[in-house]
């Protein structure tokens, strides 16, 4: 079976060879000289390394940061209580959206290090050969040793970038530590509880860091973990991390074959498929209501995200199979993004009522 057929059958991106070789063959490269230096090829390689996790981390976390910055009267210490003096919505949108690229850079640069650390391990290559055969290592586009060498160069650069340019160096260092725990210490294989806990902690740092980058003010730059953020912001980030901890294993429903080959103790493998689905479905019925109540958005605003959360819960119980579970996971990612939009909506409603 050809490489292209393998990728299509597994639902992966249809990228033929990224310009890596004339035939797209699987032969192992012998050194860096076998990786083309063309920009398009490097960007393609970057995409293949990160595309699976980008919808889970980069997209939703960027939404969290942008929406948190738009709700700055409630999310930042320097703006706390300044609802009446809040800037007009149009000006706030222009100011925050000008920071969009910075927020994406923060999330994607740190995610890149995580994906490099994750995909270089031998057990990861065995898992990806089953679950994600389009990734560079199982395709033979790069070797684990080349990734290790790349990480030696990139980790200091990414931390420096986050510290000096984005003002979130501490957050980047914490993410690096969690990446080490998840991959090299095999916390991701220890069991679904430990795995979800590490991921939930990472989401908390990614999300609060995204808010800081989106704000871009002197009060939050280089202020330490959670520095410059209001208690409401930290509590909200904690609630989101709790959501991640209790529902993140929805992603494992589609990866059972590869997880079993790797020896990972994911929820479907430990509990069984049906109990694992129920363990996602029940929280998905609770968190939409709890989130709407926390931000006091009311039925009109809370209903759409509650409806999508209910759909995810129903699909977990009624729809199974690789493609069905992939769609359920994508809907879960969309739902998290909708939940992240509640703060600016609530803040806007408060300004309107108080005004």
């Amino acid at each position: 079976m050809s490489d292209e057929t393998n990728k299509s059958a597994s639902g992966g991106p249809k990228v033929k060879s990224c310009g890596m070789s004339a035939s797209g063959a699987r032969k192992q490269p012998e050194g860096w000289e076998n990786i083309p230096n063309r920009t398009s090829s490097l960007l393609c390689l970057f995409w293949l390394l990160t595309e699976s996790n980008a919808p889970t981390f980069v997209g939703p976390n960027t939404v969290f940061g942008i929406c948190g910055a738009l709700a700055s009267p409630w999310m930042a210490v320097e703006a706390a209580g300044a609802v009446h003096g809040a800037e007009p919505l149009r000006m706030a949108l222009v100011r925050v959206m000008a920071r969009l690229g910075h927020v994406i850079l923060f999330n994607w640069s740190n995610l890149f290090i995580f994906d490099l650390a994750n995909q270089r391990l031998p057990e990861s290559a065995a898992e990806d050969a089953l679950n994600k055969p389009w990734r560079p290592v199982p395709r033979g586009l790069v070797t684990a040793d080349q990734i290790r060498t790349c990480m030696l160069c990139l980790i200091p650069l990414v931390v420096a970038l986050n510290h000096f340019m984005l003002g979130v160096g501490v957050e980047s260092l914490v993410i690096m530590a969690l990446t080490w725990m998840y991959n090299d210490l095999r916390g991701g294989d220890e069991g679904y509880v430990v795995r979800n806990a590490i991921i939930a902690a990472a989401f908390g740092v990614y999300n609060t860091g995204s808010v800081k980058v989106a704000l871009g003010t002197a009060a939050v730059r280089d202020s330490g973990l959670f520095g410059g953020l209001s208690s409401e912001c930290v509590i909200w980030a904690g609630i989101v991390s709790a959501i991640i901890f209790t529902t993140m294993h929805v992603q494992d429903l589609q990866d059972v074959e590869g997880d079993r080959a790797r020896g990972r103790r994911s929820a479907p493998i430990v509990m069984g498929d049906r109990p694992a689905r129920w363990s996602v479905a029940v929280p998905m019925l609770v968190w939409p209501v709890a989130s709407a109540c926390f931000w006091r958005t009311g039925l009109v605003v809370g209903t759409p995200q509650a409806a999508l959360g209910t759909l995810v819960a129903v699909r977990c119980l009624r729809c199974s199979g690789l493609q069905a579970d992939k769609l359920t996971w994508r809907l879960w990612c969309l739902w998290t993004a909708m939940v992240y939009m509640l703060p600016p909506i609530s803040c806007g409603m408060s300004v309107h009522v108080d005004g």
Side-chain angles (χ1 to χ4, degrees), residues 17-25 27 36 141:
S17 65
C18 293
M20 298 298 172
S21 66
S23 61
K27 64 179 181 179
L141 300 179

PDB file of all heavy atoms in Angstrom, residues 17-25 27 36 141:
ATOM      1  N   SER A  17       4.839  14.433  -0.429  1.00  0.00           N
ATOM      2  CA  SER A  17       6.226  14.214  -0.038  1.00  0.00           C
ATOM      3  C   SER A  17       6.873  15.422   0.593  1.00  0.00           C
ATOM      4  O   SER A  17       7.991  15.346   1.048  1.00  0.00           O
ATOM      5  CB  SER A  17       7.049  13.819  -1.272  1.00  0.00           C
ATOM      6  OG  SER A  17       7.090  14.892  -2.194  1.00  0.00           O
ATOM      7  N   CYS A  18       6.192  16.556   0.630  1.00  0.00           N
ATOM      8  CA  CYS A  18       6.750  17.792   1.187  1.00  0.00           C
ATOM      9  C   CYS A  18       8.027  18.186   0.474  1.00  0.00           C
ATOM     10  O   CYS A  18       8.850  18.911   1.030  1.00  0.00           O
ATOM     11  CB  CYS A  18       7.044  17.650   2.683  1.00  0.00           C
ATOM     12  SG  CYS A  18       5.587  17.471   3.679  1.00  0.00           S
ATOM     13  N   GLY A  19       8.244  17.671  -0.719  1.00  0.00           N
ATOM     14  CA  GLY A  19       9.482  17.977  -1.410  1.00  0.00           C
ATOM     15  C   GLY A  19      10.682  17.288  -0.807  1.00  0.00           C
ATOM     16  O   GLY A  19      11.820  17.631  -1.101  1.00  0.00           O
ATOM     17  N   MET A  20      10.447  16.288   0.054  1.00  0.00           N
ATOM     18  CA  MET A  20      11.553  15.643   0.740  1.00  0.00           C
ATOM     19  C   MET A  20      12.336  14.707  -0.175  1.00  0.00           C
ATOM     20  O   MET A  20      13.508  14.490   0.001  1.00  0.00           O
ATOM     21  CB  MET A  20      11.024  14.852   1.950  1.00  0.00           C
ATOM     22  CG  MET A  20      10.342  15.718   2.979  1.00  0.00           C
ATOM     23  SD  MET A  20      11.477  16.917   3.671  1.00  0.00           S
ATOM     24  CE  MET A  20      10.347  17.900   4.630  1.00  0.00           C
ATOM     25  N   SER A  21      11.633  14.110  -1.122  1.00  0.00           N
ATOM     26  CA  SER A  21      12.313  13.242  -2.072  1.00  0.00           C
ATOM     27  C   SER A  21      11.475  13.169  -3.323  1.00  0.00           C
ATOM     28  O   SER A  21      10.291  13.487  -3.313  1.00  0.00           O
ATOM     29  CB  SER A  21      12.514  11.839  -1.483  1.00  0.00           C
ATOM     30  OG  SER A  21      11.274  11.203  -1.288  1.00  0.00           O
ATOM     31  N   ALA A  22      12.077  12.740  -4.383  1.00  0.00           N
ATOM     32  CA  ALA A  22      11.360  12.705  -5.649  1.00  0.00           C
ATOM     33  C   ALA A  22      10.234  11.694  -5.627  1.00  0.00           C
ATOM     34  O   ALA A  22       9.208  11.878  -6.258  1.00  0.00           O
ATOM     35  CB  ALA A  22      12.342  12.383  -6.786  1.00  0.00           C
ATOM     36  N   SER A  23      10.408  10.610  -4.900  1.00  0.00           N
ATOM     37  CA  SER A  23       9.414   9.542  -4.909  1.00  0.00           C
ATOM     38  C   SER A  23       8.571   9.482  -3.661  1.00  0.00           C
ATOM     39  O   SER A  23       7.610   8.734  -3.602  1.00  0.00           O
ATOM     40  CB  SER A  23      10.122   8.190  -5.076  1.00  0.00           C
ATOM     41  OG  SER A  23      11.003   7.960  -3.988  1.00  0.00           O
ATOM     42  N   GLY A  24       8.906  10.267  -2.638  1.00  0.00           N
ATOM     43  CA  GLY A  24       8.178  10.189  -1.377  1.00  0.00           C
ATOM     44  C   GLY A  24       8.430   8.878  -0.663  1.00  0.00           C
ATOM     45  O   GLY A  24       7.602   8.392   0.087  1.00  0.00           O
ATOM     46  N   ALA A  25       9.590   8.264  -0.909  1.00  0.00           N
ATOM     47  CA  ALA A  25       9.879   6.949  -0.351  1.00  0.00           C
ATOM     48  C   ALA A  25      10.065   7.016   1.152  1.00  0.00           C
ATOM     49  O   ALA A  25      10.310   8.064   1.720  1.00  0.00           O
ATOM     50  CB  ALA A  25      11.149   6.380  -0.998  1.00  0.00           C
ATOM     51  N   LYS A  27      12.530   5.549   2.823  1.00  0.00           N
ATOM     52  CA  LYS A  27      13.887   5.251   3.266  1.00  0.00           C
ATOM     53  C   LYS A  27      14.362   6.293   4.270  1.00  0.00           C
ATOM     54  O   LYS A  27      14.042   7.469   4.196  1.00  0.00           O
ATOM     55  CB  LYS A  27      14.836   5.212   2.076  1.00  0.00           C
ATOM     56  CG  LYS A  27      14.984   6.557   1.350  1.00  0.00           C
ATOM     57  CD  LYS A  27      15.956   6.429   0.203  1.00  0.00           C
ATOM     58  CE  LYS A  27      16.138   7.782  -0.516  1.00  0.00           C
ATOM     59  NZ  LYS A  27      17.102   7.668  -1.607  1.00  0.00           N
ATOM     60  N   PRO A  36      15.623  18.803   2.607  1.00  0.00           N
ATOM     61  CA  PRO A  36      15.755  19.976   1.731  1.00  0.00           C
ATOM     62  C   PRO A  36      15.666  21.260   2.527  1.00  0.00           C
ATOM     63  O   PRO A  36      14.927  21.362   3.498  1.00  0.00           O
ATOM     64  CB  PRO A  36      14.560  19.835   0.775  1.00  0.00           C
ATOM     65  CG  PRO A  36      14.234  18.384   0.797  1.00  0.00           C
ATOM     66  CD  PRO A  36      14.532  17.923   2.187  1.00  0.00           C
ATOM     67  N   LEU A 141      10.843  10.733   6.904  1.00  0.00           N
ATOM     68  CA  LEU A 141      11.312  12.053   6.479  1.00  0.00           C
ATOM     69  C   LEU A 141      12.382  12.600   7.410  1.00  0.00           C
ATOM     70  O   LEU A 141      13.232  13.394   6.992  1.00  0.00           O
ATOM     71  CB  LEU A 141      10.134  13.031   6.405  1.00  0.00           C
ATOM     72  CG  LEU A 141       9.009  12.649   5.436  1.00  0.00           C
ATOM     73  CD1 LEU A 141       7.899  13.681   5.477  1.00  0.00           C
ATOM     74  CD2 LEU A 141       9.548  12.501   4.016  1.00  0.00           C
TER      75      LEU A 141
END
